[in-house]
PDB file of all heavy atoms in Angstrom:
ATOM      1  N   ARG A 184     -70.692  10.090 -26.863  1.00 91.00           N
ATOM      2  CA  ARG A 184     -70.179  10.639 -25.540  1.00 91.00           C
ATOM      3  C   ARG A 184     -71.236  11.612 -24.955  1.00 91.00           C
ATOM      4  O   ARG A 184     -71.629  12.618 -25.741  1.00 91.00           O
ATOM      5  CB  ARG A 184     -68.734  11.301 -25.656  1.00 91.00           C
ATOM      6  CG  ARG A 184     -68.229  11.893 -24.353  1.00 91.00           C
ATOM      7  CD  ARG A 184     -66.712  12.113 -24.531  1.00 91.00           C
ATOM      8  NE  ARG A 184     -65.943  10.880 -24.668  1.00 91.00           N
ATOM      9  CZ  ARG A 184     -65.654  10.122 -23.765  1.00 91.00           C
ATOM     10  NH1 ARG A 184     -65.980  10.332 -22.476  1.00 91.00           N
ATOM     11  NH2 ARG A 184     -64.910   9.050 -24.097  1.00 91.00           N
ATOM     12  N   VAL A 185     -71.533  11.557 -23.730  1.00 88.00           N
ATOM     13  CA  VAL A 185     -72.478  12.491 -23.036  1.00 88.00           C
ATOM     14  C   VAL A 185     -71.679  12.857 -21.853  1.00 88.00           C
ATOM     15  O   VAL A 185     -71.775  12.186 -20.733  1.00 88.00           O
ATOM     16  CB  VAL A 185     -73.786  11.780 -22.704  1.00 88.00           C
ATOM     17  CG1 VAL A 185     -74.731  12.776 -22.069  1.00 88.00           C
ATOM     18  CG2 VAL A 185     -74.434  11.254 -23.953  1.00 88.00           C
ATOM     19  N   GLY A 186     -71.125  13.963 -21.785  1.00 86.00           N
ATOM     20  CA  GLY A 186     -70.186  14.300 -20.679  1.00 86.00           C
ATOM     21  C   GLY A 186     -69.034  13.365 -20.490  1.00 86.00           C
ATOM     22  O   GLY A 186     -68.219  13.134 -21.470  1.00 86.00           O
ATOM     23  N   TYR A 187     -68.995  12.767 -19.305  1.00 87.00           N
ATOM     24  CA  TYR A 187     -67.976  11.785 -19.075  1.00 87.00           C
ATOM     25  C   TYR A 187     -68.597  10.348 -19.262  1.00 87.00           C
ATOM     26  O   TYR A 187     -67.795   9.312 -19.026  1.00 87.00           O
ATOM     27  CB  TYR A 187     -67.448  11.885 -17.608  1.00 87.00           C
ATOM     28  CG  TYR A 187     -66.763  13.154 -17.269  1.00 87.00           C
ATOM     29  CD1 TYR A 187     -67.408  14.228 -16.582  1.00 87.00           C
ATOM     30  CD2 TYR A 187     -65.458  13.312 -17.774  1.00 87.00           C
ATOM     31  CE1 TYR A 187     -66.726  15.301 -16.357  1.00 87.00           C
ATOM     32  CE2 TYR A 187     -64.753  14.476 -17.404  1.00 87.00           C
ATOM     33  CZ  TYR A 187     -65.400  15.504 -16.730  1.00 87.00           C
ATOM     34  OH  TYR A 187     -64.743  16.691 -16.453  1.00 87.00           O
ATOM     35  N   GLU A 188     -69.813  10.222 -19.749  1.00 91.00           N
ATOM     36  CA  GLU A 188     -70.368   8.991 -19.967  1.00 91.00           C
ATOM     37  C   GLU A 188     -70.579   8.625 -21.395  1.00 91.00           C
ATOM     38  O   GLU A 188     -70.414   9.495 -22.253  1.00 91.00           O
ATOM     39  CB  GLU A 188     -71.782   8.928 -19.265  1.00 91.00           C
ATOM     40  CG  GLU A 188     -71.680   9.299 -17.794  1.00 91.00           C
ATOM     41  CD  GLU A 188     -73.023   9.441 -17.059  1.00 91.00           C
ATOM     42  OE1 GLU A 188     -73.975   9.940 -17.753  1.00 91.00           O
ATOM     43  OE2 GLU A 188     -73.185   9.110 -15.969  1.00 91.00           O
ATOM     44  N   MET A 189     -70.808   7.346 -21.702  1.00 93.00           N
ATOM     45  CA  MET A 189     -71.133   6.948 -23.076  1.00 93.00           C
ATOM     46  C   MET A 189     -72.445   6.285 -23.240  1.00 93.00           C
ATOM     47  O   MET A 189     -72.819   5.525 -22.445  1.00 93.00           O
ATOM     48  CB  MET A 189     -69.999   5.908 -23.479  1.00 93.00           C
ATOM     49  CG  MET A 189     -68.608   6.523 -23.456  1.00 93.00           C
ATOM     50  SD  MET A 189     -68.373   7.588 -24.890  1.00 93.00           S
ATOM     51  CE  MET A 189     -68.314   6.439 -26.278  1.00 93.00           C
ATOM     52  N   LEU A 190     -73.185   6.743 -24.186  1.00 94.00           N
ATOM     53  CA  LEU A 190     -74.554   6.371 -24.476  1.00 94.00           C
ATOM     54  C   LEU A 190     -74.579   5.536 -25.737  1.00 94.00           C
ATOM     55  O   LEU A 190     -74.174   5.860 -26.794  1.00 94.00           O
ATOM     56  CB  LEU A 190     -75.474   7.511 -24.611  1.00 94.00           C
ATOM     57  CG  LEU A 190     -76.992   7.221 -24.937  1.00 94.00           C
ATOM     58  CD1 LEU A 190     -77.624   6.366 -23.796  1.00 94.00           C
ATOM     59  CD2 LEU A 190     -77.765   8.443 -25.206  1.00 94.00           C
ATOM     60  N   LEU A 191     -75.191   4.300 -25.566  1.00 93.00           N
ATOM     61  CA  LEU A 191     -75.312   3.357 -26.747  1.00 93.00           C
ATOM     62  C   LEU A 191     -76.886   3.179 -27.001  1.00 93.00           C
ATOM     63  O   LEU A 191     -77.563   2.853 -26.104  1.00 93.00           O
ATOM     64  CB  LEU A 191     -74.708   2.011 -26.459  1.00 93.00           C
ATOM     65  CG  LEU A 191     -75.021   0.911 -27.516  1.00 93.00           C
ATOM     66  CD1 LEU A 191     -74.224   1.260 -28.757  1.00 93.00           C
ATOM     67  CD2 LEU A 191     -74.570  -0.475 -27.023  1.00 93.00           C
ATOM     68  N   ARG A 192     -77.280   3.616 -28.149  1.00 91.00           N
ATOM     69  CA  ARG A 192     -78.760   3.331 -28.635  1.00 91.00           C
ATOM     70  C   ARG A 192     -78.643   2.037 -29.378  1.00 91.00           C
ATOM     71  O   ARG A 192     -77.835   1.917 -30.291  1.00 91.00           O
ATOM     72  CB  ARG A 192     -79.214   4.487 -29.395  1.00 91.00           C
ATOM     73  CG  ARG A 192     -79.169   5.820 -28.618  1.00 91.00           C
ATOM     74  CD  ARG A 192     -79.775   6.987 -29.508  1.00 91.00           C
ATOM     75  NE  ARG A 192     -79.516   8.267 -28.904  1.00 91.00           N
ATOM     76  CZ  ARG A 192     -80.398   8.828 -27.986  1.00 91.00           C
ATOM     77  NH1 ARG A 192     -81.534   8.119 -27.663  1.00 91.00           N
ATOM     78  NH2 ARG A 192     -80.187   9.971 -27.462  1.00 91.00           N
ATOM     79  N   HIS A 193     -79.572   1.187 -29.129  1.00 90.00           N
ATOM     80  CA  HIS A 193     -79.514  -0.154 -29.773  1.00 90.00           C
ATOM     81  C   HIS A 193     -80.927  -0.682 -29.991  1.00 90.00           C
ATOM     82  O   HIS A 193     -81.905  -0.067 -29.491  1.00 90.00           O
ATOM     83  CB  HIS A 193     -78.719  -1.152 -28.933  1.00 90.00           C
ATOM     84  CG  HIS A 193     -79.247  -1.414 -27.691  1.00 90.00           C
ATOM     85  ND1 HIS A 193     -80.219  -2.434 -27.419  1.00 90.00           N
ATOM     86  CD2 HIS A 193     -79.127  -0.887 -26.408  1.00 90.00           C
ATOM     87  CE1 HIS A 193     -80.531  -2.459 -26.145  1.00 90.00           C
ATOM     88  NE2 HIS A 193     -79.934  -1.512 -25.461  1.00 90.00           N
ATOM     89  N   SER A 194     -81.059  -1.766 -30.748  1.00 86.00           N
ATOM     90  CA  SER A 194     -82.315  -2.436 -31.047  1.00 86.00           C
ATOM     91  C   SER A 194     -82.368  -3.902 -30.408  1.00 86.00           C
ATOM     92  O   SER A 194     -83.139  -4.727 -30.923  1.00 86.00           O
ATOM     93  CB  SER A 194     -82.498  -2.520 -32.589  1.00 86.00           C
ATOM     94  OG  SER A 194     -82.380  -1.250 -33.162  1.00 86.00           O
ATOM     95  N   LEU A 195     -81.561  -4.120 -29.363  1.00 91.00           N
ATOM     96  CA  LEU A 195     -81.403  -5.469 -28.938  1.00 91.00           C
ATOM     97  C   LEU A 195     -82.264  -5.705 -27.719  1.00 91.00           C
ATOM     98  O   LEU A 195     -82.467  -4.906 -26.796  1.00 91.00           O
ATOM     99  CB  LEU A 195     -79.991  -5.699 -28.566  1.00 91.00           C
ATOM    100  CG  LEU A 195     -78.962  -5.534 -29.661  1.00 91.00           C
ATOM    101  CD1 LEU A 195     -77.519  -5.565 -29.050  1.00 91.00           C
ATOM    102  CD2 LEU A 195     -79.031  -6.591 -30.630  1.00 91.00           C
ATOM    103  N   THR A 196     -82.899  -6.988 -27.717  1.00 91.00           N
ATOM    104  CA  THR A 196     -83.494  -7.436 -26.449  1.00 91.00           C
ATOM    105  C   THR A 196     -82.438  -8.230 -25.721  1.00 91.00           C
ATOM    106  O   THR A 196     -81.352  -8.514 -26.131  1.00 91.00           O
ATOM    107  CB  THR A 196     -84.560  -8.485 -26.778  1.00 91.00           C
ATOM    108  OG1 THR A 196     -84.017  -9.628 -27.487  1.00 91.00           O
ATOM    109  CG2 THR A 196     -85.626  -7.823 -27.824  1.00 91.00           C
ATOM    110  N   HIS A 197     -82.767  -8.576 -24.453  1.00 94.00           N
ATOM    111  CA  HIS A 197     -81.879  -9.415 -23.659  1.00 94.00           C
ATOM    112  C   HIS A 197     -81.569 -10.756 -24.316  1.00 94.00           C
ATOM    113  O   HIS A 197     -80.463 -11.285 -24.184  1.00 94.00           O
ATOM    114  CB  HIS A 197     -82.438  -9.563 -22.233  1.00 94.00           C
ATOM    115  CG  HIS A 197     -82.382  -8.327 -21.348  1.00 94.00           C
ATOM    116  ND1 HIS A 197     -82.592  -8.339 -19.980  1.00 94.00           N
ATOM    117  CD2 HIS A 197     -82.074  -7.054 -21.632  1.00 94.00           C
ATOM    118  CE1 HIS A 197     -82.424  -7.117 -19.523  1.00 94.00           C
ATOM    119  NE2 HIS A 197     -82.196  -6.348 -20.431  1.00 94.00           N
ATOM    120  N   GLN A 198     -82.621 -11.233 -24.910  1.00 94.00           N
ATOM    121  CA  GLN A 198     -82.417 -12.538 -25.695  1.00 94.00           C
ATOM    122  C   GLN A 198     -81.478 -12.339 -26.867  1.00 94.00           C
ATOM    123  O   GLN A 198     -80.571 -13.261 -27.085  1.00 94.00           O
ATOM    124  CB  GLN A 198     -83.670 -13.069 -26.201  1.00 94.00           C
ATOM    125  CG  GLN A 198     -83.680 -14.414 -26.826  1.00 94.00           C
ATOM    126  CD  GLN A 198     -83.182 -15.553 -25.780  1.00 94.00           C
ATOM    127  OE1 GLN A 198     -83.762 -15.716 -24.810  1.00 94.00           O
ATOM    128  NE2 GLN A 198     -82.005 -16.127 -26.140  1.00 94.00           N
ATOM    129  N   ASP A 199     -81.452 -11.174 -27.493  1.00 94.00           N
ATOM    130  CA  ASP A 199     -80.530 -11.030 -28.605  1.00 94.00           C
ATOM    131  C   ASP A 199     -79.027 -10.893 -28.055  1.00 94.00           C
ATOM    132  O   ASP A 199     -78.192 -11.557 -28.670  1.00 94.00           O
ATOM    133  CB  ASP A 199     -80.819  -9.644 -29.305  1.00 94.00           C
ATOM    134  CG  ASP A 199     -82.111  -9.651 -30.151  1.00 94.00           C
ATOM    135  OD1 ASP A 199     -82.429 -10.718 -30.669  1.00 94.00           O
ATOM    136  OD2 ASP A 199     -82.734  -8.556 -30.221  1.00 94.00           O
ATOM    137  N   ILE A 200     -78.892 -10.258 -26.985  1.00 95.00           N
ATOM    138  CA  ILE A 200     -77.565 -10.131 -26.365  1.00 95.00           C
ATOM    139  C   ILE A 200     -77.029 -11.506 -25.935  1.00 95.00           C
ATOM    140  O   ILE A 200     -75.926 -11.862 -26.184  1.00 95.00           O
ATOM    141  CB  ILE A 200     -77.519  -9.186 -25.149  1.00 95.00           C
ATOM    142  CG1 ILE A 200     -77.902  -7.799 -25.657  1.00 95.00           C
ATOM    143  CG2 ILE A 200     -76.245  -9.178 -24.472  1.00 95.00           C
ATOM    144  CD1 ILE A 200     -77.979  -6.720 -24.449  1.00 95.00           C
ATOM    145  N   ALA A 201     -78.008 -12.362 -25.432  1.00 95.00           N
ATOM    146  CA  ALA A 201     -77.669 -13.693 -25.113  1.00 95.00           C
ATOM    147  C   ALA A 201     -77.253 -14.526 -26.321  1.00 95.00           C
ATOM    148  O   ALA A 201     -76.300 -15.284 -26.279  1.00 95.00           O
ATOM    149  CB  ALA A 201     -78.842 -14.434 -24.420  1.00 95.00           C
ATOM    150  N   ASN A 202     -78.016 -14.343 -27.444  1.00 94.00           N
ATOM    151  CA  ASN A 202     -77.670 -15.063 -28.685  1.00 94.00           C
ATOM    152  C   ASN A 202     -76.320 -14.648 -29.258  1.00 94.00           C
ATOM    153  O   ASN A 202     -75.691 -15.388 -29.922  1.00 94.00           O
ATOM    154  CB  ASN A 202     -78.809 -14.860 -29.686  1.00 94.00           C
ATOM    155  CG  ASN A 202     -80.061 -15.522 -29.376  1.00 94.00           C
ATOM    156  OD1 ASN A 202     -80.130 -16.336 -28.406  1.00 94.00           O
ATOM    157  ND2 ASN A 202     -81.153 -15.177 -29.936  1.00 94.00           N
ATOM    158  N   ILE A 203     -76.006 -13.391 -28.996  1.00 94.00           N
ATOM    159  CA  ILE A 203     -74.692 -12.843 -29.511  1.00 94.00           C
ATOM    160  C   ILE A 203     -73.541 -13.456 -28.625  1.00 94.00           C
ATOM    161  O   ILE A 203     -72.485 -13.778 -29.161  1.00 94.00           O
ATOM    162  CB  ILE A 203     -74.638 -11.275 -29.523  1.00 94.00           C
ATOM    163  CG1 ILE A 203     -75.645 -10.758 -30.468  1.00 94.00           C
ATOM    164  CG2 ILE A 203     -73.205 -10.760 -29.725  1.00 94.00           C
ATOM    165  CD1 ILE A 203     -75.882  -9.287 -30.328  1.00 94.00           C
TER     166      ILE A 203
END
Side-chain angles (χ1 to χ4, degrees):
R184 184 166 293 282
V185 181
Y187 294 102
E188 302 171 328
M189 293 290 289
L190 176 65
L191 174 69
R192 301 179 188 275
H193 64 88
S194 307
L195 301 170
T196 64
H197 287 192
Q198 186 62 59
D199 289 330
I200 297 174
N202 292 345
I203 293 167

